[in-house]
């Protein structure tokens, strides 16, 4: 990893940590103020909802303007959203802050991913840089909530008072400014201009390309696996009388395993083949989902969680590498926007679907149904074939 990539990863961590910290602090404050679980669920959904609608325009904007301008606007919006919650810590403003920080994080992520992908010169470099870049969200998902929790518990007169929440929001407002510190000296890459005289291009035209369509479907299936694991494991743990700390440890083991595999992948990137890694991850996920609900103890559930983290954690760098190879250089931002839009739409809708299905077939049945879908999709991943590089 070179210094330029390290600075971009640091910038991604800071802006993503802002959203992750807000995602902890805002719901806790809403619950303290007496809002219902349904209202808190809506608040949490707003973090992903903005990205559903803004991802595609953000991708197009990044295609036209590169890295710094989209990141600069994202920093301003994220800071303004967190600062608004600092000044007016009431539920409507918390909803506005969720929309602002979620949308800003998505737009900044697209611009950073596009820049890093364009800077790579071959397929091996793509796998390496996206493996490093994928570590950022794992780190920020720890830093943001941890720092926000410290502020809430210790910055006020008593733990959990309004002053503590204001301190948490103030810290979250400062984090995006650190993103600009890391990114501001990055050298912009030359713009890529589409060939003149062709028919007008729409983002949805990318869906007519079979390799891209297959890649998006596979990515959506695997993203749903992250959602179902996060949603169902607490329910299974509650059914079995496991404590909150044990359930949290099981989920934490998954996150750590996903980060570890992403640290190791750049070291062997030259020997990895994207479609092989993705197909193997889907087969492994299907097998783990089949046995997960029948694991008798917290220890065996934790083992499944670690193995699942290894499998699913290996997917994103491979998907990002493939995406940059099968789409034209001047449309990387659009492709990244479509991918992010699909993932966040899934994060909004799937928990509701899982909840309904769990009431009908049981929480274990949700694991088995999704596992069967993942296993069936492994053939689709294998048939993605060897893409023709666009670099």
């Amino acid at each position: 990893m070179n210094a330029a990539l390290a600075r971009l990863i640091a910038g991604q961590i800071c802006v993503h940590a802002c959203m992750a910290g807000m995602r902890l602090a805002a719901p806790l404050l809403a619950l303290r103020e007496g809002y219902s679980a349904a209202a808190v669920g809506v608040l949490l959904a707003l973090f992903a909802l903005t990205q559903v609608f803004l991802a595609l325009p953000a991708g197009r904007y990044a295609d036209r303007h590169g890295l710094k301008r989209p990141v600069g606007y994202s920093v301003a919006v994220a800071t303004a959203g967190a600062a608004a919650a600092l000044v007016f810590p009431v539920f409507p403003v918390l909803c506005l802050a969720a929309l602002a920080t979620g949308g800003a994080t998505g737009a900044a992520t697209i611009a950073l991913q596009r820049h890093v992908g364009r800077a790579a010169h071959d397929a091996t470099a793509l796998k390496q840089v996206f493996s490093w870049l994928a570590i950022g969200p794992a780190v920020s998902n720890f830093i943001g909530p941890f720092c926000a929790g410290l502020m809430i518990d210790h910055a006020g007169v008593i733990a959990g008072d309004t002053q503590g929440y204001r301190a948490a929001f103030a810290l979250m407002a400062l984090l995006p400014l650190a993103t600009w510190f890391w990114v501001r000296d990055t050298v912009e890459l030359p713009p890529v201009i589409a060939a003149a005289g062709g028919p007008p291009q729409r983002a949805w035209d990318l869906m007519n390309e079979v390799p891209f369509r297959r890649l998006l479907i596979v990515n959506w299936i695997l993203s749903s696996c992250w959602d179902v694991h996060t949603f169902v494991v607490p329910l299974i743990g509650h059914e079995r009388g496991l404590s909150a700390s044990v359930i949290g440890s099981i989920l934490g083991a998954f996150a750590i395993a996903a980060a570890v595999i992403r640290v190791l992948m750049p070291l062997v990137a030259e020997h990895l083949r994207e479609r092989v890694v993705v197909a193997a991850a889907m087969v492994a996920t299907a097998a783990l989902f089949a046995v997960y609900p029948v694991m008798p103890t917290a220890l065996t559930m934790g083992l499944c969680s670690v193995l699942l983290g290894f499998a699913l954690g290996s997917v994103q760098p491979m998907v990002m590498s493939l995406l940059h190879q099968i789409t034209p250089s001047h449309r990387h931002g659009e492709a990244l926007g479509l991918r992010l839009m699909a993932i966040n739409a899934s994060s909004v809708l799937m928990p509701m679907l899982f909840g309904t299905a769990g009431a009908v077939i049981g929480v274990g049945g949700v694991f088995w149904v999704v596992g069967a879908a993942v296993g069936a999709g492994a053939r689709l991943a294998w048939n993605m074939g060897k893409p023709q590089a666009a670099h």
Side-chain angles (χ1 to χ4, degrees), residues 168-188:
F169 295 141
L171 179 59
M172 295 305 107
L174 292 175
L175 283 173
L177 299 178
T179 294
W180 183 246
F181 169 80
W182 292 115
V183 173
R184 61 192 173 96
D185 292 330
T186 302
V187 178
E188 289 279 12

Side-chain angles (χ1 to χ4, degrees), residues 334-350:
E334 281 184 303
L336 290 166
L338 280 172
R339 172 186 171 273
L340 191 64
M341 182 172 64
I343 290 174
N344 282 284
S346 174
S347 295
V348 172
L349 297 175
M350 287 313 227

Side-chain angles (χ1 to χ4, degrees), residues 133-150:
L133 196 65
I135 298 169
V139 173
S140 60
N141 280 334
F142 170 77
I143 291 176
F146 178 74
C147 292
L150 284 179

Side-chain angles (χ1 to χ4, degrees), residues 17 29 32 96 142 149 162 179 194 212 239 253 325 361 377:
L29 179 56
R32 196 203 71 173
L96 179 63
F142 170 77
T162 302
T179 294
F212 181 79
E239 283 185 353
Q325 293 178 63
I361 62 177

Side-chain angles (χ1 to χ4, degrees), residues 44-304:
L44 284 170
L46 294 178
F47 284 97
L49 187 63
T50 323
Q51 298 185 43
V52 174
F53 296 102
L54 289 184
L56 192 51
R60 289 171 174 165
Y61 192 82
D63 281 334
R64 293 195 301 269
H65 299 288
L67 174 69
K68 293 183 184 178
R69 189 180 296 184
V71 171
Y73 285 136
S74 298
V75 165
V77 171
T79 298
L86 162 65
V87 177
F88 303 106
V90 295
F91 187 77
V93 178
L94 294 180
C95 292
L96 179 63
L99 291 168
T101 55
T105 300
T109 298
I110 289 171
L112 288 162
Q113 289 172 341
R114 177 186 177 276
H115 181 88
V116 168
R118 285 198 58 216
H121 300 295
D122 54 43
T124 298
L126 280 169
K127 287 175 281 191
Q128 288 175 331
V129 297
F130 281 118
S131 295
W132 288 119
L133 196 65
I135 298 169
V139 173
S140 60
N141 280 334
F142 170 77
I143 291 176
F146 178 74
C147 292
L150 284 179
M151 293 295 103
I152 292 169
D153 286 341
H154 301 291
V157 178
I158 60 172
D161 67 1
T162 302
Q163 185 177 341
Y165 281 99
R166 287 182 184 271
F169 295 141
L171 179 59
M172 295 305 107
L174 292 175
L175 283 173
L177 299 178
T179 294
W180 183 246
F181 169 80
W182 292 115
V183 173
R184 61 192 173 96
D185 292 330
T186 302
V187 178
E188 289 279 12
L189 298 173
V192 180
I193 308 300
Q201 293 181 325
R202 299 172 300 174
W204 293 107
D205 293 338
L206 290 170
M207 295 297 294
N208 294 327
E209 301 294 330
V210 174
F212 181 79
R213 187 166 64 246
R214 286 176 176 169
L215 181 65
L216 205 62
I217 293 171
V218 166
N219 194 195
W220 172 75
I221 292 172
L222 289 165
S223 175
S224 298
C225 293
W226 286 74
D227 293 331
V228 74
H229 183 257
T230 303
F231 180 81
V232 175
V233 167
L235 298 181
I236 292 179
H238 179 72
E239 283 185 353
R240 298 180 180 179
L242 301 180
S243 67
S245 60
V246 171
I247 295 171
S249 298
I250 293 171
L251 293 174
F254 172 86
I256 292 172
V260 168
I261 194 66
R262 289 170 177 178
V263 172
L264 297 177
M265 287 179 72
L267 307 178
V268 294
E270 186 177 354
H271 306 288
L272 300 176
R273 297 295 176 265
E274 292 93 339
R275 68 189 182 109
V276 176
V277 173
V278 175
M282 296 183 82
V283 172
T285 299
L288 289 166
F289 271 24
V291 301
Y292 210 130
V294 298
M295 289 293 103
T297 65
L299 183 61
T300 53
M301 288 178 65
L303 177 61
C304 279

Side-chain angles (χ1 to χ4, degrees), residues 342-389:
I343 290 174
N344 282 284
S346 174
S347 295
V348 172
L349 297 175
M350 287 313 227
M352 293 185 287
L353 179 61
F354 296 150
T356 303
V360 176
I361 62 177
V363 290
V366 175
F367 260 133
W368 292 327
V369 170
V370 175
V374 176
R379 182 177 178 85
L380 187 65
W382 183 262
N383 288 336
M384 285 192 294
K386 297 180 180 180
Q388 295 180 352

